[in-house]
């Protein structure tokens, strides 16, 4: 890259901070949530000083994920270009239609170890599946509305062409790019449709109304990462925040796995419609997450099986829900040694310079002796059941008037313009890279 271009990591870092500031101004309760998460993280870090390295603490302080919902294949293809400027690739395919949510999704995120440490900003990006709208006339009305809008500013489109031609952005071009890109994610109180059209789409599915009725895919939530989500859930009412009923994902464990999520209830916001009628729309909320170790395919199969077993019983009370989850997940090993030895999770291995390595020892013996340190590789992705649970809790209970579709990764990738990356392969590569470095150091 030319010396006059700034790195994609720096552009991503600027953009994520600018988006967080914008969302905090638009949704003040999100600012309260950030304060609560910051206080809980400080308390948890003070309690266990060895829990995170300085690099991981820096990452934790800037870590956010957002979510957007797009309406057309063309919008998704351009969004891929926008995120490419920030060093973010499409990772994973998620089908939410099985849970009655008419979208399929991917996560745009950085993939290299160095980029993740600088800023692991990720955006869960969903594409509306028009074929799941049962009413043909309504389906056509949605298609017509979406065809009339352009969610990107003219200048942003010019900048994307410039980036492709140059292979990067200068300082001033990057600043302009962040400004213009932010407009795509901004909230607009002026709807793009009249009130009767909005109500018709709302009756079909609240998410369809959220996607199709506005000028752009307003960011519908931002998510800070906490070290203790149970504590945050407990404290939210004391901060004037109403949490969703239960925490999504696996139960609390000694060795956290995958992803746990909760949120505050979506805001009811005033809207002006194109026929000058006034109304309200409910979509935007704040979310909190706690991330654990990434699981191998074998580990994920065990997780999915246990989650299906736990889902046979429903609880509206979080304490009862967590107690039930913990009982079911007792079958999932809960120590780093077991997770490693049974090949259920991915780990990063590094030499401990303070302990001599004995020749002839295998990896496990080196870890037991302290000569090698095994660190959990953080799960960077999402869980479709948890995502659907968050969506449903913030869309209301009357949201299932759509067909249940089948996964259609090929159709999604055709709209995207490329194949999504396999998250398991990415974690496997991170683990193998660390083993290769370790072998060099030991030899």
């Amino acid at each position: 890259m030319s010396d006059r271009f700034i790195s994609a990591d720096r552009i991503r870092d600027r953009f994520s901070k600018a988006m967080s500031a914008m969302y905090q101004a638009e949704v003040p309760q999100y600012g309260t949530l950030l304060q609560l998460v910051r206080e809980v993280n400080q308390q948890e870090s003070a309690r266990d000083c060895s829990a995170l390295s300085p690099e991981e603490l820096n990452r934790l302080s800037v870590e956010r994920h957002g979510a957007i919902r797009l309406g057309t294949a063309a919008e998704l293809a351009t969004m891929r270009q926008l995120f490419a400027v920030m060093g973010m690739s499409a990772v994973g395919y998620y089908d939410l239609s099985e849970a009655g949510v008419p979208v399929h999704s991917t996560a745009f995120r950085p993939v290299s170890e160095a980029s993740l440490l600088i800023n692991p900003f990720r955006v869960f990006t969903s594409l509306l599946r028009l074929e799941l709208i049962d009413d043909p006339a309504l389906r056509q009305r949605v298609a017509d509305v979406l065809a009339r809008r352009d969610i990107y500013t003219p200048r942003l489109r010019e900048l994307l062409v410039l980036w492709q031609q140059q292979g990067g952005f200068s300082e001033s071009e990057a600043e302009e790019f962040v400004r213009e890109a932010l407009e795509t994610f901004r909230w607009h109180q002026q709807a793009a449709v009249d009130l009767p059209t909005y109500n018709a789409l709302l009756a079909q599915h609240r998410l369809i109304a959220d996607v199709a009725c506005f000028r752009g895919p307003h960011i519908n939530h931002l998510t800070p990462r906490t070290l203790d989500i149970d504590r945050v859930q407990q404290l939210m009412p004391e901060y004037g925040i109403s949490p969703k009923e239960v925490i999504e994902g696996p139960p609390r464990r000694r060795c956290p796995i995958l992803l746990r999520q909760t949120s505050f209830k979506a805001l009811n916001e005033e809207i002006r419609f194109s026929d000058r009628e006034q109304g309200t729309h409910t979509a935007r909320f704040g979310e909190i997450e706690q991330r654990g170790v990434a699981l191998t395919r074998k580990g994920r199969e065990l997780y999915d099986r246990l989650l299906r077993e736990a889902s046979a019983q429903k609880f509206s009370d979080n304490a009862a829900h967590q107690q039930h989850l913990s009982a079911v997940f007792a079958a999932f090993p809960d120590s780093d040694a077991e997770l490693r030895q049974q090949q259920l999770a991915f780990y990063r291995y590094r030499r401990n310079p303070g302990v001599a390595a004995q020749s002839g020892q295998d990896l496990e013996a080196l870890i037991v002796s302290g000569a090698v340190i095994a660190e959990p590789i953080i799960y960077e992705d999402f869980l479709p059941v948890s995502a659907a649970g968050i969506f449903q809790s913030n869309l209301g209970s009357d949201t299932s008037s759509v067909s249940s579709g089948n996964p259609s990764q090929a159709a999604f990738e055709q709209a995207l313009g490329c194949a999504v990356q396999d998250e398991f392969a990415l974690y496997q590569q991170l683990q193998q890279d660390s083993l290769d470095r370790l072998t060099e150091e030991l030899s």
Side-chain angles (χ1 to χ4, degrees):
M1 181 177 288
S2 168
D3 290 342
R4 75 183 186 89
F5 295 150
I6 71 171
S7 71
D9 292 333
R10 285 180 59 194
I11 299 176
R12 182 178 67 258
D13 187 55
R14 288 184 188 182
F15 181 80
S16 68
K17 289 172 179 174
M19 180 179 281
S20 186
M22 180 186 77
Y23 197 66
Q24 190 169 338
E26 293 179 348
V27 183
Q29 202 168 48
Y30 167 68
T32 306
L33 189 69
L34 289 180
Q35 178 188 348
L36 168 57
V37 169
R38 190 180 305 115
E39 291 173 4
V40 169
N41 287 349
Q42 287 172 347
Q43 293 165 7
E44 188 66 16
S45 298
R47 187 186 65 79
D48 185 1
C49 298
S50 64
L52 294 173
S53 67
E55 293 83 8
E56 290 169 327
L57 281 171
N58 174 70
R59 167 186 159 144
L60 182 68
S61 68
V62 300
E63 186 157 355
R64 302 284 184 274
H65 94 242
I68 56 172
R69 302 155 183 170
L70 304 175
T72 68
E75 290 177 355
L76 179 64
T78 303
M79 190 61 70
R80 175 174 67 87
Q81 298 172 34
L82 185 155
F83 285 130
V85 173
M86 297 184 271
M88 299 162 70
S89 303
V91 178
Y93 171 78
Y94 306 88
D95 174 36
L96 273 59
S97 68
E98 292 181 355
V101 182
V103 299
H104 46 185
S105 315
T106 191
F108 287 100
R109 68 168 179 88
V111 296
S112 75
E113 194 165 17
S115 293
L116 287 166
L117 273 176
I118 291 170
N119 190 319
F121 180 59
R122 54 185 84 80
V123 180
F124 190 78
T125 303
S126 300
L127 177 64
L128 181 64
R129 297 184 67 178
L130 283 176
E131 74 273 15
L132 300 185
I133 300 177
D134 293 327
D135 183 339
L138 194 62
R139 190 187 314 136
Q140 187 59 51
R141 196 188 310 184
V142 172
D144 291 342
V145 168
L146 292 172
R148 289 196 300 267
R149 76 177 187 181
D150 189 349
I151 66 174
Y152 305 103
T153 69
R155 181 55 181 159
L156 178 63
R157 290 188 177 279
E158 292 173 357
L159 287 167
L160 290 176
V161 171
L162 181 65
W163 183 82
Q164 292 278 1
Q165 293 171 342
Q166 296 182 159
F169 278 149
S170 66
E171 186 79 28
S172 61
E173 290 164 349
E175 286 184 10
E176 188 179 14
F177 167 80
V178 168
R179 271 198 317 274
E180 294 294 325
L182 211 57
E183 292 304 309
T184 295
F185 301 87
R186 193 178 297 281
W187 172 249
H188 299 287
Q189 284 190 311
Q190 178 68 53
V193 300
D194 57 29
L195 184 57
T197 299
Y198 173 81
N199 285 334
L201 296 180
L202 196 68
Q204 181 76 9
H205 197 290
R206 287 179 180 268
L207 185 139
I208 297 172
D210 184 58
V211 173
C213 293
F214 296 90
R215 288 164 50 191
H218 42 259
I219 190 83
N220 64 66
H221 68 264
L222 277 181
T223 306
R225 178 180 161 202
T226 183
L227 298 174
D228 189 346
I229 199 168
D230 299 277
R231 182 66 175 152
V232 172
Q233 176 89 354
Q234 178 187 9
L235 289 174
M236 282 166 75
E238 295 182 20
Y239 284 70
I241 302 173
S242 176
K244 72 183 294 292
E245 286 76 12
V246 300
I247 297 172
E248 302 284 349
R252 186 182 186 96
R253 296 162 40 90
R254 289 196 308 274
C255 295
I257 58 172
L258 297 174
L259 175 67
R260 304 180 73 204
Q261 295 172 282
T262 189
S263 70
F264 65 68
K265 297 296 182 66
L267 306 176
N268 198 26
E269 301 180 88
E270 291 187 0
I271 299 297
R272 296 186 300 274
F273 293 92
S274 62
D275 55 2
R276 300 187 179 180
E277 292 291 333
Q278 297 280 106
T280 60
H281 180 65
T282 304
R284 299 196 300 163
F285 56 94
E287 189 177 274
I288 313 98
E289 65 184 19
Q290 181 173 352
R291 292 185 173 268
V293 65
L295 299 184
T296 62
R297 293 187 191 276
K298 179 182 176 183
R300 184 58 184 270
E301 287 170 4
L302 176 57
Y303 170 81
D304 288 341
R305 178 172 64 79
L306 294 176
L307 189 66
R308 285 193 297 272
E309 181 182 334
S311 299
Q313 286 185 262
K314 302 290 185 183
F315 299 88
S316 58
D317 174 72
N318 188 56
H321 173 69
Q322 295 301 324
Q323 186 176 12
H324 173 63
L325 267 183
S326 294
V328 174
F329 271 80
F332 203 112
D334 196 12
S335 73
D336 286 319
E338 289 175 297
L339 292 173
R340 284 196 324 272
Q341 291 163 9
Q342 295 183 37
Q343 297 184 335
L344 296 173
F346 291 105
Y347 284 80
R348 180 182 292 105
Y349 300 93
R350 62 181 176 86
R351 180 81 172 86
N352 182 359
V355 178
Q358 301 299 316
S359 62
Q361 287 185 316
D362 63 14
L363 179 62
E364 198 58 37
L366 289 167
I367 294 169
V368 171
S369 72
V372 169
I373 297 170
E375 299 170 332
I377 294 177
I378 294 297
Y379 184 64
E380 305 289 349
D381 297 289
F382 296 91
L383 302 172
V385 174
S386 296
I390 293 283
F391 277 20
Q392 293 284 24
S393 70
N394 285 288
L395 290 167
S397 57
D398 55 336
T399 57
S400 297
S401 302
V402 294
S403 304
S404 179
N406 297 314
S408 186
Q409 183 169 341
F412 184 87
E413 290 178 335
Q414 184 178 9
L416 181 67
C418 70
V420 299
Q421 295 197 46
D422 178 5
E423 61 269 33
F424 291 102
L426 291 172
Y427 297 123
Q428 180 66 52
Q429 190 61 54
L430 287 174
Q431 178 173 279
Q432 188 59 50
D433 288 346
S434 74
L435 286 169
D436 292 344
R437 287 193 298 268
L438 179 64
T439 300
E440 284 186 20
E441 291 172 4
L442 291 175
S443 63

